[in-house]
Amino acid sequence: DAGVIQSPRHEVTEMGQEVTLRCKPISGHDYLFWYRQTMMRGLELLIYFNNNVPIDDSGMPEDRFSAKMPNASFSTLKIQPSEPRDSAVYFCASSFSRDTQYFGPGTRLTVL
Amino acid sequence: GESVGLHLPTLSVQEGDNSIINCAYSNSASDYFIWYKQESGKGPQFIIDIRSNMDKRQGQRVTVLLNKTVKHLSLQIAATQPGDSAVYFCAERGSYIPTFGRGTSLIVHP
C-alpha cells in the first residue's frame, strides 16, 4: 500500500483565497483524521470521520473551515476565506478501528 | 507582542548511548498506547504500541514500558543513532480515539 496520500504538498496563497487540501486514506481503514501542526500550538486534532461520517468536529477553529468525506477513499479540508493565521502543516491520518493512526506527509500551507 | 513557540522537552544524547523518553498520561482508563517519531518535514510515524494488559513490549532497538500505577509510559532506544534525532510523541487511547501528548525532542550528537 502507498500509505496515506496528501495533496498538494505545499500551498502558497493570498489572504481571502479558498484553499482545498486533499487526502486519500489507506485502503480498508475506517477512520480518517485531519490535524494541524504549528510551532505555537503543536499537533491539534481538527475533525475525524468514521465510515465517512463526521464524528467530532470540535477542533475545527471556526466556520471558515469545513471537511468532507464523500467516499471511503477521499477527503477534503477546505478553508474559505483563508487568513495568515491558518498557515501551518496540515496532516491527514487514517486508522483501522480505533488503533494506530498512519499519517500522510502533510501539506504545508502558507497564507500571505 | 512577541510570539512564543511551543517549548518541547529536549533530550540530548551521544551516539551509541541508550535514550529514555518519558510520557505521563492522564486517563487511568486508557487501554492502548502508541509511540510516534516525527522527523523534520515529515508526518508522525508509528514506532511501537502497547496495550494496557502488558507492562513491556520490545521492538527492534526500542522498548516501551508501561506503569499503570503511576500512569507513566517510556520509550527506550538502544544504541541511539543520529537518524533517531526527531520529535517523539506518545498517544493514549482513553475515551474513544488516541490523543497525542506534546512531544519530546531527541537530539543525538555524533
Side-chain angles (χ1 to χ4, degrees):
Chain A
D1 201 313
V4 175
I5 298 172
Q6 291 187 247
S7 64
R9 292 295 311 276
H10 302 273
E11 177 81 35
V12 180
T13 191
E14 293 190 345
M15 183 174 62
Q17 297 298 305
E18 177 180 294
V19 175
T20 299
L21 311 181
R22 297 174 175 81
C23 175
K24 176 178 170 53
I26 293 173
S27 176
H29 283 188
D30 55 349
Y31 280 81
L32 183 138
F33 306 82
W34 282 102
Y35 290 87
R36 178 173 69 177
Q37 188 174 45
T38 62
M39 289 295 293
M40 292 285 289
R41 302 174 68 92
L43 191 65
E44 302 173 276
L45 176 65
L46 300 178
I47 185 171
Y48 73 93
F49 296 81
N50 176 217
N51 291 323
N52 314 338
V53 176
I55 302 301
D56 185 352
D57 65 353
S58 60
M60 296 285 261
E62 46 197 276
D63 292 345
R64 297 185 297 106
F65 285 69
S66 63
K68 294 182 180 180
M69 191 166 186
N71 57 63
S73 59
F74 184 66
S75 177
T76 60
L77 178 68
K78 185 175 294 186
I79 308 172
Q80 166 63 19
S82 58
E83 297 183 3
R85 60 189 167 130
D86 301 331
S87 296
V89 180
Y90 290 82
F91 289 105
C92 176
S94 70
S95 71
F96 177 70
S97 185
R98 298 180 296 119
D99 284 352
T100 305
Q101 296 174 31
Y102 292 89
F103 284 75
T107 295
R108 181 173 296 277
L109 173 65
T110 303
V111 183
L112 302 174
Chain B
E2 197 173 318
S3 65
V4 178
L6 187 69
H7 293 289
L8 296 179
T10 299
L11 175 66
S12 290
V13 301
Q14 290 295 129
E15 181 179 0
D17 288 351
N18 296 332
S19 302
I20 300 176
I21 300 171
N22 297 303
C23 178
Y25 63 93
S26 57
N27 190 339
S28 57
S30 292
D31 64 347
Y32 180 59
F33 304 87
I34 313 154
W35 279 101
Y36 288 87
K37 172 187 180 183
Q38 186 176 22
E39 297 175 89
S40 180
K42 297 183 179 180
Q45 295 177 290
F46 168 81
I47 303 173
I48 192 168
D49 59 2
I50 189 168
R51 300 196 184 271
S52 59
N53 61 353
M54 302 173 68
D55 297 323
K56 179 179 180 179
R57 190 166 188 217
Q58 289 185 289
Q60 187 178 14
R61 279 202 309 120
V62 295
T63 301
V64 56
L65 298 178
L66 175 62
N67 186 330
K68 295 181 286 293
T69 302
V70 295
K71 291 188 288 186
H72 184 267
L73 192 67
S74 68
L75 177 71
Q76 300 179 0
I77 304 173
T80 314
Q81 303 168 1
D84 295 327
S85 293
V87 175
Y88 290 80
F89 294 94
C90 66
E92 61 173 308
R93 186 174 70 190
S95 57
Y96 196 64
I97 61 168
T99 55
F100 287 78
R102 58 199 294 258
T104 296
S105 178
L106 175 65
I107 300 172
V108 182
H109 301 281

